[in-house]
Amino acid sequence: MNDLASTAAPGRTPYAPAVRAALRRAAPALAAYAAVRLLGVTVLAVWSAANGKNWHTLLTARWDSLWYTRVAEQGYGYSVQLANGDLHSDLAFFPLLPWLERGLSAVSPLSAADAGMVVAWSASLGAAWALYATGERLHGPRAGMALVALWAVLPVGIVQSMAYSESLFTALAAWSLYCVLTGRWVWAGVLASLAGLTRPVGAAVVAALWVTAVLTVRDERAGGASPRAVFRGRHRGMLTGVLLAPLGWLGYVLWVAARQGSLTGYLDVQGGWGNGFDGGIAFGAFIWHQLSGPAFPAGIGLVVGVALVVWLYVRGVRQGQPPPLPVYGGAVLLLALTAKGYFGSKPRLMLPAYPLLLPLAVGVARWPRTRAWLVIGLIAAGSAVYGAFWLNGSGPP
């Protein structure tokens, strides 16, 4: 286990100059990220026009984005009873994105839906910056650039441009973990709490902070430090950060529980959507159904895909990633693979698991620049085409 304390800077540079310097270093990566996303939206616009659809509607007013917009405009309390008896309640959607949509639309000419897209686009750049900073800190600038590029060109990367919560959550989670890496525990706790107000998987960020804090205290105690010295020395603020981290996630879950009149209220709401966690039994049955029927090639693709993400996770652990990254990435991966509903959503649910891409980023960073950019460019083109095809077809449920 890497000693986390060794990744924290012994002193602080002035805040504003340090931020400007960090932004200058990240600027090429952010420009590359913006170019990939622009390509994706452009291809989507052309494809949608050819199909008689509107790219703007696909990004802002379909699927989950409609639910977020409705919460922003009307608050919670809307539900739909399906013919099979399932009850879809808007309480399934965590509140930070609709709060931001409501706030931005209140102070601008933007509708709540357009505000959601602006938040997503802005947050995706914030997430890209955090990914660059993380890769740069651990493996150098080229790894930071590669990590950003790989996240941008994921097959479901178009979701980063939708009025969904994935970009916002990834930005908050990635900056929270970066703050842990640099010893800024209070900021880490605040950002983790906000991530917990964004998506249910915010619990993964909390787990990363808590496990890292326990390991850090253990290492310090093994080195002879007293508990008081641990919390008053270079890890000042750790306890505050640890206590702040779960407040957002826990606060919303308890609010739903009180509103539903049941301690398991949020789980009941998810159950109405056909969601929940069963240890992967339903997903395994789904894969077996594909393998044993005419959709055999799709089943093989699912097996290969799951094997790949698990291999990437193990590879990252073996490369010695600092504790918060494998804890967070593993928790996101586990929650995505063990969810029992909406199997087509699993790639989207794994989108925030950026630590899985670090082993690939390290490898790409060692390539000659021309080869690296050629490969990334080709993948970006393929991702743009796939994203356009996906959103004009089934898209995110």
Side-chain angles (χ1 to χ4, degrees), residues 5 28 59 79 94 129 142 176 211 251 264 269 271 291 295 320 331-332 334 352 356 361 376 382:
L59 293 180
S79 61
F94 276 52
W129 186 4
R142 292 194 65 185
S176 176
V211 171
T264 61
V269 168
L291 291 172
V332 174
L334 180 66
L356 298 178
I376 291 295

Side-chain angles (χ1 to χ4, degrees), residues 13-397:
T13 55
Y15 181 74
V19 171
R20 288 196 294 268
L23 183 56
R24 282 195 298 270
R25 295 196 306 273
L30 297 182
Y33 176 81
V36 172
R37 292 273 42 86
L38 179 60
L39 174 64
V41 173
T42 300
V43 173
L44 174 65
V46 173
W47 192 299
S48 301
N51 280 351
K53 297 181 179 179
N54 185 289
W55 67 272
H56 179 268
T57 300
L58 293 176
L59 293 180
T60 63
R62 290 192 69 187
W63 305 294
D64 290 3
S65 58
L66 289 173
W67 289 86
Y68 284 119
T69 299
R70 186 179 288 111
V71 172
E73 294 175 339
Q74 303 175 17
Y76 285 103
Y78 179 79
S79 61
V80 176
Q81 184 84 43
L82 303 186
N84 65 359
D86 288 346
L87 182 67
H88 287 189
S89 167
D90 58 9
L91 293 172
F93 298 90
F94 276 52
L96 186 57
L97 177 57
W99 285 349
L100 293 175
E101 289 178 341
R102 180 184 303 174
L104 184 56
S105 62
V107 299
S108 72
L110 296 173
S111 66
D114 286 337
M117 187 169 69
V118 169
V119 169
W121 288 20
S122 302
S124 68
L125 283 170
W129 186 4
L131 266 60
Y132 174 82
T134 301
E136 177 194 46
R137 184 173 190 84
L138 298 178
H139 302 288
R142 292 194 65 185
M145 174 75 81
L147 182 59
V148 171
L150 290 170
W151 191 65
V153 302
L154 288 172
V156 293
I158 190 65
V159 174
Q160 298 162 15
S161 300
M162 297 179 67
Y164 269 45
S165 60
E166 276 78 6
S167 291
L168 178 61
F169 174 78
T170 305
L172 293 168
W175 278 117
S176 176
L177 299 191
Y178 181 78
C179 287
V180 174
L181 293 177
T182 55
R184 295 170 171 84
W185 284 96
V186 175
W187 274 111
V190 170
L191 292 166
S193 185
L194 291 173
L197 279 171
T198 308
R199 294 186 62 79
V201 76
V205 190
V206 178
L209 264 68
W210 283 7
V211 171
T212 304
V214 170
L215 294 177
T216 301
V217 172
R218 184 201 66 181
D219 290 347
E220 293 288 345
R221 294 284 288 137
S226 67
R228 178 175 296 183
V230 172
F231 294 115
R232 292 188 178 182
R234 56 183 172 178
H235 302 297
R236 185 187 303 273
M238 179 192 293
L239 185 58
T240 301
V242 165
L243 293 175
L244 287 172
L247 295 184
W249 183 89
L250 187 62
Y252 182 69
V253 169
L254 290 178
W255 180 79
V256 173
R259 186 179 176 109
Q260 296 292 95
S262 169
L263 191 60
T264 61
Y266 187 75
L267 295 178
D268 297 338
V269 168
Q270 286 285 8
W273 281 82
N275 289 331
F277 302 96
D278 62 358
I281 295 175
F283 186 42
F286 174 76
I287 293 177
W288 176 250
H289 177 73
Q290 303 299 306
L291 291 172
S292 59
F296 178 79
I300 291 294
L302 284 172
V303 172
V304 171
V306 171
L308 175 61
V309 296
V310 172
W311 178 83
L312 286 172
Y313 176 75
V314 173
R315 180 67 175 169
V317 172
R318 289 181 175 176
Q319 283 183 344
Q321 291 180 4
L325 298 182
V327 173
Y328 165 77
V332 174
L333 180 60
L334 180 66
L335 291 173
L337 293 181
T338 59
K340 65 180 181 180
Y342 295 104
F343 303 118
S345 295
K346 292 192 183 296
R348 175 171 66 86
L349 297 178
M350 288 188 282
L351 190 65
Y354 67 91
L356 298 178
L357 299 173
L358 262 174
L360 295 178
V362 172
V364 171
R366 295 173 181 154
W367 291 355
R369 291 181 185 273
T370 301
R371 177 188 175 190
W373 284 115
L374 178 61
V375 171
I376 291 295
L378 290 174
I379 297 175
S383 175
V385 171
Y386 176 78
F389 166 78
W390 188 47
L391 288 196
N392 277 273
S394 60

